[in-house]
Amino acid sequence: MKLEHDHDFSVFYENYKDAIYKVIRFLSEDPQDCDDIAQEVFLNIYRSFSKYSEEKGSFYTWASAIAKNTYYTYRKKRRKEQDRVLDGDSTGFETFSAKDDFIENLEIKVVEQELREAIETLPEPEKSIILLKEIDNYTLERTSQVLNISSRTVSRKLLKALDLLREELERRKVIL
């Protein structure tokens, strides 16, 4: 997939800026740092945009990895600056070692939270059907018994619920 650099990047920015910013906010507790880091992240993404390929995963996954790496580089640089100010005494600052598992767990938590919020927007009985059938792993028959509706209705409503959920996730720009 060959990307037209400026056009595709501007589309990417509009579609994913909020999602990428959420990743940064999750990593950094300081709102001012978030703005600085976000600026660096999108600059790094812009510089690397032509190197993206679908083999590296979705845009969101690729950009989230750049956001994570930019955050850690930013933190490392800030620690060094703070150490210099204190003449090498860094005992008051945390050391932060990043692990791939942490980032993977972070991405999963962000997506799970978005999914929970999206499910909450569904009307009834679609919301209950998704929760029972897909989250609680109820069988079709058990779901129909709990909701006191036919299995056929559960099947139909499940398809509708999944469509509504997909639309809501797309509206929120969440990529699974």
Side-chain angles (χ1 to χ4, degrees):
M1 174 174 154
K2 180 70 176 145
L3 301 173
E4 293 179 29
H5 198 269
D6 291 334
H7 170 72
D8 287 344
F9 182 79
S10 64
V11 170
F12 170 81
Y13 179 80
E14 285 304 314
N15 288 334
Y16 294 96
K17 66 182 176 190
D18 294 335
I20 298 301
Y21 197 78
K22 281 183 183 180
V23 171
I24 297 166
R25 277 196 330 251
F26 189 84
L27 290 168
S28 177
E29 297 171 359
D30 185 346
Q32 185 173 350
D33 281 353
C34 287
D35 291 338
D36 293 342
I37 295 166
Q39 188 174 15
E40 277 297 311
V41 166
F42 283 105
L43 185 60
N44 289 341
I45 290 172
Y46 183 81
R47 288 178 185 144
S48 303
F49 201 68
S50 62
K51 297 175 187 169
Y52 170 76
S53 71
E54 291 177 345
E55 291 84 36
K56 294 181 180 180
S58 71
F59 272 125
Y60 177 76
T61 302
W62 178 74
S64 293
I66 291 175
K68 166 203 62 143
N69 292 336
T70 303
Y71 168 76
Y72 295 131
T73 300
Y74 180 86
R75 291 273 304 172
K76 190 176 187 180
K77 186 166 43 168
R78 279 218 43 215
R79 261 197 319 274
K80 284 181 181 179
E81 289 170 1
Q82 291 168 340
D83 287 350
R84 260 186 260 130
V85 169
L86 297 173
D87 292 326
D89 179 30
S90 64
T91 56
F93 299 100
E94 72 178 62
T95 56
F96 197 83
S97 68
K99 295 191 178 204
D100 288 337
D101 288 346
F102 172 77
I103 297 308
E104 189 175 314
N105 288 337
L106 167 68
E107 290 171 349
I108 289 169
K109 285 180 184 178
V110 169
V111 170
E112 283 177 348
Q113 181 60 34
E114 288 288 341
L115 185 59
R116 271 189 234 104
E117 290 173 7
I119 290 171
E120 286 299 316
T121 67
L122 296 176
E124 288 294 343
E126 286 82 359
K127 177 177 156 183
S128 294
I129 289 171
I130 287 279
L131 291 173
L132 292 171
K133 182 85 177 72
E134 300 301 320
I135 306 298
D136 294 335
N137 294 318
Y138 278 32
T139 63
L140 189 63
E141 193 60 40
R142 179 74 180 124
T143 303
S144 71
Q145 290 171 353
V146 168
L147 296 176
N148 199 26
I149 56 178
S150 73
S151 295
R152 184 180 173 127
T153 301
V154 170
S155 292
R156 253 191 356 257
K157 295 283 186 179
L158 178 60
L159 291 175
K160 180 181 176 189
L162 291 172
D163 281 342
L164 291 171
L165 186 58
R166 180 188 45 77
E167 289 170 7
E168 179 63 19
L169 292 172
E170 284 176 359
R171 188 187 68 73
R172 293 169 177 253
K173 296 174 179 66
V174 174
I175 298 181
L176 302 175

